[in-house]
Amino acid sequence: MAESSSSKKMVGFGSTSQQGKSFWKRGGTGRLPAPGSAKPVFGAQHPPLNAPMDPKMGSPIKPPPSPQKDSTPRTQSLSDVQAGTNSDMRRSSNHEVGRNCVRVDEVSTPSAATPNLPVLSEREALRLQKFVRLIDGEPQTPLEDLNKISWSGIPHAVRHTVWQLLSGYLPANCERRKATLERKRNEYRSFVKQYYHTRLQPQHKQTFHQITIDIPRMNPSCIFQQSLAQECFERLLYIWAMRHPASSYVQGMNDLATPFFVIFLGSNMDTTLAADPTTMDLSTMGEDAIAEAEADTYWCLTKLMDGIQDNYTFAQPGIQTKVHKLKELVKRIDAPLFQHLEDNNITFLEFAFRWMNNLLIREMPLQCIIRLWDTYLCERDGFATFHPYVCAAFLVHFSKDLRDLKDFQALMIFLQSLPTGGWDERRMNEILASAFQWKYSFNDAPSHLG
């Protein structure tokens, strides 16, 4: 099918043309159903992205004495790390392991010279050193040790590389990383050339149309409302749909790509998530950096989806199973809350479907989701098996508020717009601690549920 004369620039992948978009508006008619069997999600609310974080950052670090100079150093001293500036956060174009892959001698720690970032306490700086030493392990990163230290949160300076390692996108062997990144990014570019021009063909037009109407509904941060970001998501989601016909594209998948994209994009910017993610301006970035973040997001999304694809196949058995598990957990953990929901005719599927479909991305600030994913990537099948326990802890956290509401309508309104706008990583840590406790109690004893 011939494409229209209007053209759109494809960042990092050349130019192509496409028909004008018809953006979906709430309450409009003629809305197409999502491919597959997922029904449209209504009432989704995004909490503020720049929710206040815990101000307790500690005092500025005091550099310890510099170690004896080594002729072939593998790591920097803490004082060398502290001396870095914002410009150091940009990866050298010719560094040994490729863009977006961290080496110890290339990581900078925020200091007085980096006013956009919080100053790290001595404890936080030492913890960062542990991460970079593991990442730059010789001859390879010990993934088991990296898992253990990452469970309680990953420093932003190395998060992009740690996520790629824990996702299985980057190899543990340091010497293979540069070649792997080049090969996978080139492979994604070849997919774009192979598939993207088919988006307006009759058999694929509906899938692409569903993607284009979902993308503007993503997180309201300015980064996701920029045309360059939306073009990236159109491509990577359409390519994923073409290469996974069993489920194709289903509403909610667009949300799952957002944490990866923000983290990988932020690794190439002076202003990072530690300051304010809404300040990201893609027009100030190079095309190569955006294209690399897009390709890396595609591959990490693919790794994630491999573990939860039954959430999006016909009849969505994965979501049905997880919602049932959540129901049984709450019944066992908080019987009064469970009975209160039952008495008011609240079924778990009515509010928890979105929690499973979008992995809570529409329920919490993005900072909390990123912290949550630090742990999910450390847990075996964390997005599938650990997620119901997190949902249970999340629901039980609001037990008193819910039990104070006495009718169906009030309960549903509250459940669809939970007051998480002011949440920070400390609150997220509390939720994760409860979830881990319940997983430890029930996961190996399923007969205790149901």
Side-chain angles (χ1 to χ4, degrees):
M1 178 176 178
E3 298 181 4
S4 66
S5 59
S6 61
S7 61
K8 178 189 293 184
K9 186 176 181 183
M10 290 173 53
V11 176
F13 301 105
S15 299
T16 187
S17 58
Q18 72 169 27
Q19 294 181 341
K21 298 178 183 177
S22 175
F23 290 104
W24 177 84
K25 296 182 179 179
R26 293 186 185 276
T29 58
R31 183 172 64 251
L32 292 173
S37 59
K39 297 181 180 179
V41 178
F42 298 104
Q45 298 286 331
H46 279 291
L49 213 64
N50 56 348
M53 295 291 110
D54 184 7
K56 187 188 296 182
M57 285 297 184
S59 57
I61 54 177
K62 298 180 181 179
S66 299
Q68 295 295 324
K69 187 173 182 180
D70 193 340
S71 59
T72 57
R74 291 293 290 175
T75 64
Q76 289 181 304
S77 68
L78 184 57
S79 59
D80 293 334
V81 173
Q82 185 190 10
T85 63
N86 274 344
S87 60
D88 296 327
M89 295 300 292
R90 294 186 182 275
R91 308 292 178 246
S92 171
S93 60
N94 62 350
H95 73 61
E96 185 173 330
V97 291
R99 189 190 295 271
N100 287 345
C101 193
V102 171
R103 288 179 58 88
V104 176
D105 53 3
E106 293 171 338
V107 175
S108 62
T109 299
S111 65
T114 56
N116 288 335
L117 300 177
V119 177
L120 297 184
S121 67
E122 183 173 0
R123 178 181 179 182
E124 290 167 331
L126 290 172
R127 189 165 184 267
L128 174 58
Q129 272 204 316
K130 290 182 181 179
F131 272 94
V132 292
R133 284 174 175 163
L134 288 174
I135 292 169
D136 200 30
E138 184 68 39
Q140 64 181 23
T141 297
L143 293 180
E144 185 175 349
D145 293 339
L146 188 62
N147 260 302
K148 291 178 181 178
I149 194 174
S150 299
W151 201 100
S152 57
I154 303 169
H156 175 76
V158 295
R159 182 177 272 125
H160 59 285
T161 300
V162 175
W163 277 22
Q164 290 173 356
L165 285 165
L166 297 180
S167 296
Y169 173 46
L170 278 183
N173 187 289
C174 299
E175 301 301 322
R176 294 172 49 206
R177 290 177 193 166
K178 180 179 179 180
T180 298
L181 281 174
E182 292 177 352
R183 175 173 56 83
K184 299 300 283 185
R185 288 167 178 170
N186 288 334
E187 189 174 354
Y188 175 72
R189 293 186 183 98
S190 71
F191 291 162
V192 173
K193 293 178 181 178
Q194 179 180 355
Y195 295 107
Y196 195 58
H197 70 279
T198 69
R199 66 195 183 281
L200 300 179
Q201 293 177 357
Q203 65 271 35
H204 304 309
K205 190 174 181 180
Q206 181 176 337
T207 297
F208 185 69
H209 178 65
Q210 185 65 48
I211 291 172
T212 61
I213 65 177
D214 285 347
I215 287 175
R217 302 172 60 200
M218 290 165 59
N219 195 301
S221 164
C222 70
I223 182 177
F224 298 110
Q225 302 307 316
Q226 297 175 42
S227 60
L228 289 176
Q230 293 186 0
E231 291 166 19
C232 291
F233 276 82
E234 287 175 7
R235 281 192 293 272
L236 72 90
L237 292 171
Y238 181 76
I239 301 306
W240 193 92
M242 292 299 97
R243 292 190 55 79
H244 297 83
S247 62
S248 188
Y249 171 79
V250 177
Q251 268 186 317
M253 291 180 181
N254 54 315
D255 286 326
L256 304 187
T258 57
F260 289 126
F261 189 71
V262 169
I263 292 302
F264 299 154
L265 199 63
S267 68
N268 290 293
M269 301 186 70
D270 286 341
T271 303
T272 67
L273 278 175
D276 183 0
T278 63
T279 62
M280 287 186 179
D281 183 359
L282 273 65
S283 65
T284 64
M285 299 186 64
E287 293 185 356
D288 288 345
I290 299 174
E292 288 170 2
E294 177 183 336
D296 295 344
T297 297
Y298 169 83
W299 287 114
C300 288
L301 175 67
T302 299
K303 294 287 187 180
L304 184 159
M305 293 296 296
D306 286 346
I308 60 171
Q309 193 161 357
D310 61 348
N311 284 8
Y312 306 101
T313 53
F314 178 74
Q316 299 177 276
I319 289 181
Q320 301 283 346
T321 300
K322 292 177 181 66
V323 170
H324 177 73
K325 185 171 185 178
L326 170 62
K327 178 181 177 180
E328 295 302 320
L329 280 168
V330 175
K331 183 179 180 180
R332 185 66 185 266
I333 294 165
D334 192 338
L337 173 61
F338 177 84
Q339 192 59 49
H340 181 67
L341 296 176
E342 289 277 300
D343 292 344
N344 286 277
N345 300 314
I346 301 290
T347 65
F348 277 71
L349 194 62
E350 288 176 303
F351 65 87
F353 175 90
R354 191 174 78 198
W355 297 7
M356 305 302 174
N357 191 60
N358 301 78
L359 297 179
L360 293 174
I361 287 176
R362 290 181 178 259
E363 319 306 323
M364 303 179 188
L366 182 57
Q367 289 279 20
C368 292
I369 293 299
I370 289 171
R371 170 63 192 91
L372 177 63
W373 283 29
D374 288 346
T375 298
Y376 279 178
L377 288 166
C378 298
E379 287 280 334
R380 183 176 181 180
D381 298 324
F383 293 96
T385 59
F386 190 52
H387 184 64
Y389 292 97
V390 171
C391 290
F394 183 56
L395 180 63
V396 170
H397 177 83
F398 296 101
S399 179
K400 183 180 184 302
D401 299 301
L402 289 165
R403 286 184 281 112
D404 287 341
L405 300 173
K406 304 301 183 183
D407 62 84
F408 175 88
Q409 183 177 4
L411 283 164
M412 286 303 302
I413 290 174
F414 187 82
L415 286 165
Q416 290 177 352
S417 185
L418 292 165
T420 61
W423 279 30
D424 56 18
E425 292 188 13
R426 183 176 60 180
R427 183 63 56 83
M428 199 68 251
N429 289 336
E430 295 171 0
I431 297 295
L432 286 166
S434 297
F436 180 78
Q437 177 184 355
W438 294 333
K439 179 194 172 188
Y440 185 82
S441 300
F442 297 117
N443 197 49
D444 295 328
S447 60
H448 290 185
L449 301 175

